[in-house]
Amino acid sequence: MTSGGDSPGMNAAIRSVVRTCAYYSVESVGIYRGYQGMIEGDFVTLTARSVKGIINKGGTILKSARSKEFMTEEGRKKAYENLIENNIDAVVVIGGDGSFTGGVVFNQEYNFPIIGIPGTIDNDIYGTSHTLGYDTALNTCVEAIDKIRDTASSHNRLFFVEVMGRDAGFIALNAGVGAGAEEILIPEENLGLERMLESLKKSRRAGKSSSIVVVAEGDRTGENVFELAKYVEENLPLYEVRVSVLGHMQRGGSPSCFDRVLASRLGVKAVELLLDDKTNLMVGLKGSDIIATDLEKAIKGVHSINTELLRVSDIMTT
Ligand code: F6P
């Protein structure tokens, strides 16, 4: 099943899990709308052929949801009964930390085997360098920021571009460096309003007539990106300021080759772990290897941003 916010690569992961099951002569069942579908018994039998033509599709054919009912004991009981009734022996959850938290609680209560595949554009999961959809989202953001720069430089404007990342700055930092942003604001490193103003003034003195500031959704340098823009406009009247919030377009679209390959590898590993009687794990990428991390550790651990990239970003804004 897929759960939480959708991300590009989820379909490729579904395809991989189903085809790996078929390869090992294991039956597979898709659960619609994540934990909510589990509670409602919304299941579909999947075969190697029923997942054809989806590796290149964004979103998720199984649909997704954030289920409030699964947070209740009663909801989880219904879910368990449905799994047993349908002869389901294990569940592969493709999602983010909220989905894995649900999986851990469910396992503690019912001892039901769960394997997690990290799927979120935010990349904020411990135990993997990349989550499914992150790479695609980065490419989407860079393409959008390149376009915004055309207007920024034609009109000598300062643009604040908000990218997704509720609690994490991975998208902002990497897309910011990739798109050559003059400043990057992320929740992991609070630059502060005054330092940001100083940095923009410095860019101006260095001869830059336009600027792009990439702001992570979760950044709190200002109250929000609009307040931030207002503050800068009031304090730096030289700049004509605009705001662009990229929003959900970052979550859609055909997955990049990187995400498709990663999804295929993670799906195979997820099924093979279960066949090996290994459970309560999350599969992830470390260097060029697919590894398994304790699901609980994946939730509790912190995936830290690359501080080297922060330094690179600083040097690039010279
Ligand atoms: O977790 C992924 C994410 O895209 C976050 O970056 C963002 O804050 C959130 O989902 C938005 O969720 P929703 O689709 O419910 O508005």
Side-chain angles (χ1 to χ4, degrees):
M1 71 181 200
T2 46
S3 169
D6 64 302
S7 68
M10 282 186 161
N11 279 326
I14 294 168
R15 172 182 178 270
S16 171
V17 169
V18 172
R19 293 225 166 136
T20 309
C21 283
Y23 179 83
Y24 287 110
S25 304
V26 172
E27 279 178 49
S28 49
V29 168
I31 304 174
Y32 284 114
R33 294 173 295 122
Y35 292 114
Q36 196 52 38
M38 202 189 260
I39 292 169
E40 294 171 21
D42 199 0
F43 301 155
V44 59
T45 300
L46 294 173
T47 65
R49 292 289 73 74
S50 54
V51 290
K52 69 172 194 272
I54 64 167
I55 192 169
N56 57 338
K57 300 279 191 292
T60 155
I61 59 159
L62 289 177
K63 302 188 183 292
S64 197
R66 294 189 172 107
S67 172
K68 289 226 160 54
E69 209 181 334
F70 196 75
M71 292 176 186
T72 66
E73 270 179 36
E74 212 187 5
R76 292 193 293 274
K77 184 166 176 280
K78 276 194 220 159
Y80 178 70
E81 284 163 3
N82 282 330
L83 293 176
I84 297 301
E85 208 171 289
N86 286 273
N87 295 320
I88 295 172
D89 303 317
V91 174
V92 176
V93 182
I94 307 165
D97 57 353
S99 310
F100 296 161
T101 304
V104 166
V105 173
F106 192 59
N107 178 269
Q108 281 163 356
E109 283 174 354
Y110 295 101
N111 196 22
F112 201 89
I114 305 262
I115 295 279
I117 295 184
T120 162
I121 64 164
D122 290 358
N123 204 37
D124 55 349
I125 308 270
Y126 177 85
T128 188
S129 61
H130 291 72
T131 55
L132 290 181
Y134 170 57
D135 181 68
T136 306
L138 282 183
N139 288 309
T140 302
C141 288
V142 165
E143 203 183 319
I145 299 168
D146 284 350
K147 288 178 179 163
I148 290 168
R149 190 178 283 286
D150 289 345
T151 297
S153 57
S154 302
H155 288 267
N156 288 349
R157 281 178 181 165
L158 165 61
F159 264 86
F160 284 87
V161 182
E162 187 191 273
V163 297
M164 275 188 167
R166 198 177 12 216
D167 307 305
F170 288 97
I171 298 180
L173 183 56
N174 283 268
V177 170
E182 277 66 34
E183 198 58 74
I184 301 168
L185 306 181
I186 55 174
E188 293 86 345
E189 205 216 29
N190 194 345
L191 185 67
L193 279 171
E194 293 316 312
R195 264 177 64 207
M196 187 193 59
L197 271 191
E198 241 350 281
S199 150
L200 290 172
K201 281 184 197 159
K202 204 175 120 207
S203 308
R204 194 76 190 199
R205 284 196 299 270
K208 294 187 184 180
S209 53
S210 68
S211 284
I212 303 272
V213 178
V214 175
V215 187
E217 183 190 348
D219 178 73
R220 289 290 163 260
T221 306
E223 191 63 25
N224 58 49
V225 71
F226 294 99
E227 291 298 318
L228 191 63
K230 205 167 129 210
Y231 180 84
V232 170
E233 204 160 33
E234 283 165 7
N235 289 279
L236 274 184
L238 275 176
Y239 275 114
E240 195 184 351
V241 182
R242 292 288 186 276
V243 175
S244 182
V245 177
L246 298 189
H248 287 81
M249 56 97 82
Q250 295 161 88
R251 283 225 310 244
S254 181
S256 63
C257 181
F258 180 90
D259 276 326
R260 296 181 199 193
V261 173
L262 180 62
S264 304
R265 296 180 72 193
L266 294 177
V268 169
K269 183 76 174 179
V271 174
E272 289 182 342
L273 283 172
L274 284 171
L275 291 174
D276 253 3
D277 275 335
K278 301 216 172 78
T279 177
N280 295 329
L281 297 166
M282 183 199 80
V283 288
L285 181 68
K286 187 178 182 195
S288 56
D289 297 328
I290 299 296
I291 57 156
T293 302
D294 198 61
L295 201 53
E296 212 167 335
K297 208 165 161 200
I299 302 163
K300 292 191 179 142
V302 177
H303 185 184
S304 306
I305 50 157
N306 185 346
T307 47
E308 147 78 357
L309 203 53
L310 279 176
R311 210 175 67 81
V312 168
S313 157
D314 276 350
I315 295 172
M316 289 303 109
T317 55
T318 307

